Amino acid sequence: MSDSYRPAFHFTPLSMWLNDPNGLVYYAGEYHLFYQYHPHSTVWGPMHWGHAVSKDLIYWEHLPIALYPDENGLIFSGSAVIDWNNTAGFGKEAMVAIFTYNNHTYDDKKRVEDQNIAYSTDHGLTWTKYAGNPVVPHPGNLTDFRDPKVFWHKDHWVMALAAGDWVLFYISPDLKHWESSGSFGGGYGSTSGVWETPDLFQLPLNGSDSRWVLTVGVGSGAYAGGSGTQYFVGDFDGKTFTSENPKETVLWMDHGPDFYAPQSWNDEPNGRRISIAWMSNWSYARETPTETWRGMLTMPRELSLTQTSNGLRLLQKPIVELAYLRRDHIHWQDEVITPKHNLLAGIQSRSLEIDAEIAVLNATKRFGIRIFVGEGEETIIYYQPEESLLYLDRSRSGQVDFHEDFSRLQSVPLSPVGGSIRLRILVDRCSVEVFANDGSVTLTDCVFPSAQSHGLKFFVEEGYLHLNSLDIYFLEHADFNITSIK
Ligand code: FRU
């Protein structure tokens, strides 16, 4: 069967439904990736944890399903740790998954969510659910109480979980006994939708300084419509998080519609903070037009903080390992582009990396890049100098009719730095990830063009454009090893 949407280098399930990344942990030379998975349908249903491993975050090996739903409920999102000190007593270097059981009884509309653990002593291949579950029982008065992110901090375990428009914190000596240690939210940031899938981590600043970043999924009403991800910058004292910005400050991690439930790896061996997100939107996730599989993940991104005149902001870059996929490369330097001139005429590709630095002068008019260009189809990333706005238009990108929100034009403020803007764009058959100005603004989008739409065009609408530099890298297909699937 033709599967022309299947990405060349983004993670997808071999078949059926995927949503959030879960249980991200590095252990013994492997990055583990678990994910919300429904093995019996291409729409969301009883959740399992799918499993894959990679040595470099680029080439993934699919492994058997790790966690199955049972009489206690569905296995919702969560995280995983290596219990280096055997605090739980599950064995030397046990991998421990911390997840939410969701027990939704449709009859009385009651939902019960609680936090639970399971452990593996064979590198995440087989799992035993802890007999003493739940480790954090349902508090009784909350409908939404899920998605525990656990990590080790100094001398204890920390759990952050989402509850309505709050993130609740718990601490534990042994992963089995947890006590409430604080909360954050109740009016901070965007509260347009239910908060989900929190993540909390420390990022270095210059010198010995650092800050803590709390990322939170907002289930609806996010920046680009539907679900999206916000973040807070502040402090964590080992018990709870405080924001250094006023309540009203809303910071979006990504300004496109398809970036949700990001989670970062525990124990990353090089000390990097690497996060990966589900590349979809709850508005239309169940309707995207792929056939045998549905749902994919972003390119893993390395996170850092930068000081701006408005305060500290997150920067995101594709991990350096992306370079492993680069094959042929074309480089241009100091080109002048006019409306009649398409520098990229003759280049055809549906999986590539584009890195452009463009001078923005007083007279510069609308310019940009058309990708997935074919018969009546194009996806346009363009910049409007008069407005200092970066746009992404996917209204003619291919299949768009499956949901009314999908065609909505996206825009985000972007100012030139040193007189130019820089656009790094990952194009992969059914997606585009834009990292503008060294990752200070990102736009993540799914698109569904036909397989014949592989043209490219670099354009300026009027006058001329000075291109400081342009690099195009053709990216190899990251062959996922499927032999170990049962
Ligand atoms: C986020 C989410 C989580 C939940 C999971 C269920 O996308 O709604 O809150 O645990 O998906 O699949």
Side-chain angles (χ1 to χ4, degrees):
M1 186 185 303
S2 110
D3 190 5
S4 71
Y5 296 139
R6 178 77 81 170
F9 59 93
H10 284 82
F11 185 85
T12 49
L14 286 173
S15 64
M16 303 302 169
W17 168 277
L18 160 151
N19 57 293
D20 314 352
N22 293 154
L24 306 181
V25 66
Y26 179 89
Y27 178 58
E30 290 177 324
Y31 291 90
H32 287 262
L33 163 66
F34 300 87
Y35 53 90
Q36 288 286 279
Y37 186 46
H38 186 198
H40 307 301
S41 167
T42 53
V43 292
W44 189 90
M47 283 291 111
H48 299 54
W49 275 25
H51 188 196
V53 288
S54 171
K55 292 190 176 6
D56 54 16
L57 295 162
I58 298 287
Y59 299 93
W60 291 95
E61 181 183 353
H62 289 277
L63 294 175
I65 290 172
L67 294 172
Y68 288 78
D70 57 36
E71 64 285 1
N72 295 313
L74 318 182
I75 315 286
F76 268 24
S77 284
S79 48
V81 296
I82 302 301
D83 187 4
W84 294 103
N85 302 325
N86 199 14
T87 61
F90 292 144
K92 188 171 176 280
E93 298 180 8
M95 187 181 288
V96 182
I98 307 95
F99 61 90
T100 301
Y101 265 130
N102 171 287
N103 196 341
H104 195 139
T105 41
Y106 288 90
D107 306 343
D108 55 7
K109 299 265 183 297
K110 223 176 71 195
R111 183 199 295 166
V112 175
E113 295 184 328
D114 50 27
Q115 318 318 323
N116 302 273
I117 58 179
Y119 59 94
S120 164
T121 49
D122 59 0
H123 299 239
L125 281 178
T126 58
W127 291 84
T128 307
K129 288 165 181 154
Y130 173 51
N133 280 334
V135 292
V136 181
H138 184 251
N141 55 345
L142 297 169
T143 334
D144 299 295
F145 184 69
R146 61 178 173 273
D147 307 341
K149 171 68 197 246
V150 173
F151 60 95
W152 179 258
H153 180 67
K154 292 188 177 151
D155 56 2
H156 62 276
W157 298 103
V158 176
M159 178 192 292
L161 65 83
D165 54 7
W166 292 91
V167 174
L168 307 181
F169 299 97
Y170 296 80
I171 54 176
S172 168
D174 59 4
L175 296 164
K176 293 172 172 169
H177 304 92
W178 293 89
E179 71 177 86
S180 165
S181 61
S183 62
F184 171 78
Y188 271 87
S190 169
T191 55
S192 59
V194 64
W195 285 13
E196 299 183 309
T197 56
D199 195 2
L200 176 65
F201 46 84
Q202 192 172 21
L203 289 175
L205 291 174
N206 289 340
S208 59
D209 212 2
S210 66
R211 289 291 190 286
W212 286 79
V213 173
L214 177 67
T215 65
V216 182
V218 182
S220 55
Y223 183 82
S227 52
T229 306
Q230 66 175 335
Y231 70 97
F232 302 91
V233 180
D235 188 32
F236 177 70
D237 63 3
K239 292 183 165 175
T240 194
F241 174 84
T242 45
S243 170
E244 65 183 34
N245 292 308
K247 274 193 158 182
E248 310 68 59
T249 305
V250 181
L251 303 175
W252 295 103
M253 188 165 170
D254 190 284
H255 289 80
D258 297 309
F259 185 91
Y260 200 58
Q263 188 180 119
S264 63
W265 265 272
N266 279 327
D267 295 348
E268 203 285 325
N270 307 300
R272 298 177 294 178
R273 185 54 58 176
I274 297 176
S275 187
I276 193 169
W278 178 39
M279 214 185 321
S280 194
N281 188 311
W282 277 119
S283 289
Y284 47 71
R286 297 169 182 84
E287 285 132 64
T288 52
T290 53
E291 283 175 20
T292 57
W293 57 277
R294 189 179 271 129
M296 58 186 164
L297 301 180
T298 61
M299 180 59 4
R301 300 177 180 185
E302 183 172 354
L303 308 183
S304 59
L305 280 174
T306 186
Q307 187 73 58
T308 73
S309 50
N310 296 319
L312 291 167
R313 296 290 183 270
L314 214 45
L315 290 182
Q316 300 173 66
K317 289 182 189 171
I319 49 164
V320 293
E321 290 89 335
L322 173 67
Y324 299 164
L325 294 169
R326 290 175 178 170
R327 291 300 173 262
D328 291 346
H329 171 210
I330 314 178
H331 174 73
W332 291 266
Q333 190 87 31
D334 293 319
E335 294 280 340
V336 174
I337 314 283
T338 59
K340 291 218 176 83
H341 179 194
N342 178 17
L343 200 62
L344 306 181
I347 297 183
Q348 297 178 339
S349 176
R350 298 194 302 138
S351 52
L352 70 163
E353 178 186 351
I354 303 169
D355 193 354
E357 193 188 289
I358 308 124
V360 180
L361 311 169
N362 283 340
T364 308
K365 298 290 182 231
R366 188 171 105 123
F367 66 85
I369 304 177
R370 295 188 159 88
I371 57 174
F372 298 122
V373 181
E375 207 48 50
E377 289 186 3
E378 59 183 6
T379 299
I380 323 172
I381 300 133
Y382 63 92
Y383 189 66
Q384 273 287 10
E386 296 94 337
E387 304 171 323
S388 297
L389 286 177
L390 177 69
Y391 285 86
L392 198 147
D393 181 353
R394 61 177 179 181
S395 61
R396 291 180 306 284
S397 57
Q399 288 198 59
V400 296
D401 291 343
F402 55 88
H403 194 278
E404 56 187 18
D405 289 349
F406 191 76
S407 290
R408 190 189 293 176
L409 182 64
Q410 300 149 40
S411 68
V412 56
L414 183 74
S415 297
V417 176
S420 40
I421 67 161
R422 186 159 172 209
L423 297 177
R424 191 152 170 219
I425 304 171
L426 303 184
V427 176
D428 192 10
R429 295 186 181 170
C430 66
S431 73
V432 46
E433 289 177 83
V434 181
F435 300 83
N437 288 355
D438 294 315
S440 61
V441 165
T442 63
L443 282 174
T444 302
D445 278 71
C446 300
V447 283
F448 301 96
S450 84
Q452 290 73 42
S453 296
H454 44 40
L456 293 160
K457 184 163 197 246
F458 203 102
F459 72 94
V460 59
E461 224 135 65
E462 278 177 54
Y464 70 92
L465 184 73
H466 188 92
L467 191 62
N468 300 345
S469 68
L470 173 64
D471 291 277
I472 297 222
Y473 300 91
F474 298 91
L475 300 181
E476 184 195 61
H477 194 289
D479 270 322
F480 298 139
N481 178 350
I482 60 169
T483 51
S484 52
I485 275 285
K486 275 192 184 155

